[in-house]
Amino acid sequence: MIINFNTINSLNTVSLNFKHDKPQEVPITILYFEGPIARAYLEIFRSLNIKPQKIIEIVSSTDISSKKQIGNWLPKKLRIKYARYSQEYKINFWPRDIQKRNAELQNEIFEELNKKLNISKNSLKSTTAKLDLSDYCDNVETVFISGLKDKKLEEKLNKTFEDNILYTGGGIVPQSLLSIRNTNFIHIHPGYLPDVRGADCALWSSMIFKRASASCFYMSAGIDTGDIIISRWMPELLFNITKPYNDITLYRAVYSFIDPWVRAVVLREVLTANGALKDINTTQQKANEGYTYYFMHEKMKKASLGYLFTNN
């Protein structure tokens, strides 16, 4: 495989503010599933002084760890409030734990992302902050569901005619949602499509190609196989840590802070180039192109983390 790194876009030259005082609304709905990825996307909208037309917040009726029903004894409003609190606390536990116990590691990551990807430190801090979704969008709706296969979500989307839906996580999007008429699900994958598909791609891309990468595409039934809007290689990201950390901590740091923001800068380019999300030229992927990677073996994971994080 021959990779042309001249395709790296000049991220540091992207304008972070559109020329208007009041935030403008763009025709996209964020399917918001709490976590570092969704938070990074929200901050990209804020940095560009724009707002999505709607946020549909997913609050899980089942515990994300035990999969048991949450708070069945509570009235519905209190049950949703309790479930939202439990979900927010558990999903953001590791980013906040790293911030508390390993602040120097977080600071080093933020410094590199600020310098190489032109992300403000205030935006980066949103990873662990308490957020109010109404600060990012004037139209926030909540769905209380057991997962993306819950029929209540399908019924809602069929009734509300969302044109462009930005997927932020929460599980595999079922075909029943992808088949909704006149609705496009937009996903940002942390790998250069079609060359880097599958799992742990933030690490595979960095280790094999010495570059993080990400792609924005319209979702289809296959694994990262939809029509590509853009694929981008990032500037080389290397983190100089001053003391050794165990691999579990470093792995959690990658998915708390690095992976989400690599995705987010590709979203920034898409919105900057075409905030209206109309008449977008796409590239169709071919089934025989690219390679699908799987979750890394522990030895491979150690090697990839050793490349990203150097202790000089």
Side-chain angles (χ1 to χ4, degrees):
M1 184 188 303
I2 298 174
I3 300 298
N4 178 12
F5 289 115
N6 290 328
T7 56
I8 300 172
N9 66 315
S10 182
L11 293 168
N12 289 328
T13 66
V14 174
S15 172
L16 296 184
N17 288 287
F18 290 165
K19 295 180 179 179
H20 42 70
D21 296 327
K22 184 178 180 181
Q24 300 296 297
E25 186 178 283
V26 294
I28 191 168
T29 294
I30 298 179
L31 192 60
Y32 185 88
F33 187 79
E34 177 61 68
I37 294 171
R39 286 164 168 255
Y41 292 173
L42 288 183
E43 283 299 315
I44 289 301
F45 278 84
R46 191 204 291 272
S47 72
L48 295 172
N49 201 25
I50 58 177
K51 290 185 176 184
Q53 66 182 7
K54 184 187 293 184
I55 292 177
I56 298 177
E57 175 197 23
I58 296 175
V59 176
S60 178
S61 61
T62 58
D63 186 272
I64 63 170
S65 301
S66 69
K67 307 303 179 184
K68 295 181 179 179
Q69 290 290 315
I70 296 177
N72 283 335
W73 67 92
L74 293 170
K76 187 174 181 179
K77 286 187 177 180
L78 286 178
R79 187 184 175 203
I80 293 174
K81 186 175 182 179
Y82 176 65
R84 179 187 288 114
Y85 169 81
S86 173
Q87 180 174 308
E88 198 273 353
Y89 173 79
K90 290 185 176 182
I91 289 176
N92 295 305
F93 177 84
W94 291 117
R96 288 172 179 156
D97 185 73
I98 291 171
Q99 179 187 46
K100 180 180 178 181
R101 299 175 185 274
N102 299 291
E104 56 284 306
L105 173 60
Q106 184 198 57
N107 290 338
E108 171 58 27
I109 292 172
F110 284 3
E111 288 289 340
E112 183 76 347
L113 296 179
N114 170 251
K115 180 174 67 174
K116 297 289 185 63
L117 302 184
N118 194 24
I119 305 165
S120 76
K121 291 184 180 179
N122 283 338
S123 290
L124 292 166
K125 290 177 182 177
S126 71
T127 307
T128 53
K130 293 290 185 181
L131 298 186
D132 184 344
L133 295 181
S134 64
D135 290 338
Y136 297 87
C137 181
D138 298 326
N139 184 7
V140 180
E141 299 179 4
T142 299
V143 289
F144 190 50
I145 56 177
S146 59
L148 297 180
K149 293 183 179 180
D150 194 313
K151 286 293 181 182
K152 287 184 288 186
L153 178 59
E154 181 183 347
E155 291 169 1
K156 179 178 182 58
L157 295 180
N158 266 311
K159 290 178 181 177
T160 53
F161 306 106
E162 314 295 339
D163 293 333
N164 294 297
I165 297 178
L166 179 60
Y167 167 75
T168 64
I172 297 174
V173 180
Q175 185 60 38
S176 58
L177 296 187
L178 296 176
S179 300
I180 294 175
R181 187 178 178 184
N182 297 326
T183 295
N184 294 310
F185 277 81
I186 297 172
H187 180 39
I188 301 169
H189 164 70
Y192 190 96
L193 295 178
D195 300 314
V196 187
R197 298 191 184 106
D200 268 345
C201 286
L203 293 177
W204 286 115
S205 182
S206 295
M207 184 178 73
I208 295 175
F209 302 106
K210 310 305 180 187
R211 295 285 192 280
S213 60
S215 304
C216 182
F217 67 100
Y218 291 118
M219 298 184 79
S220 65
I223 299 175
D224 304 325
T225 56
D227 290 350
I228 300 169
I229 298 172
I230 59 170
S231 291
R232 291 290 183 261
W233 295 102
M234 301 289 137
E236 188 174 29
L237 299 173
L238 295 173
F239 305 94
N240 183 20
I241 54 179
T242 57
K243 66 179 185 180
Y245 297 92
N246 61 55
D247 290 344
I248 293 175
T249 297
L250 295 178
Y251 187 79
R252 288 169 177 162
V254 168
Y255 289 98
S256 294
F257 307 120
I258 302 169
D259 172 283
W261 287 103
V262 166
R263 299 177 193 238
V265 293
V266 167
L267 174 63
R268 181 174 67 189
E269 182 175 349
V270 171
L271 293 171
T272 302
N274 192 333
L277 299 172
K278 293 181 179 179
D279 302 319
I280 295 177
N281 293 323
T282 60
T283 302
Q284 186 176 8
Q285 297 191 65
K286 297 178 182 178
N288 61 346
E289 289 181 330
Y291 188 83
T292 299
Y293 294 85
Y294 298 92
F295 285 108
M296 282 187 166
H297 183 276
E298 291 303 313
K299 290 184 178 179
M300 192 69 74
K301 188 186 298 182
K302 187 177 187 67
S304 64
L305 293 171
Y307 168 76
L308 276 175
F309 298 95
T310 57
N311 183 11
N312 296 325

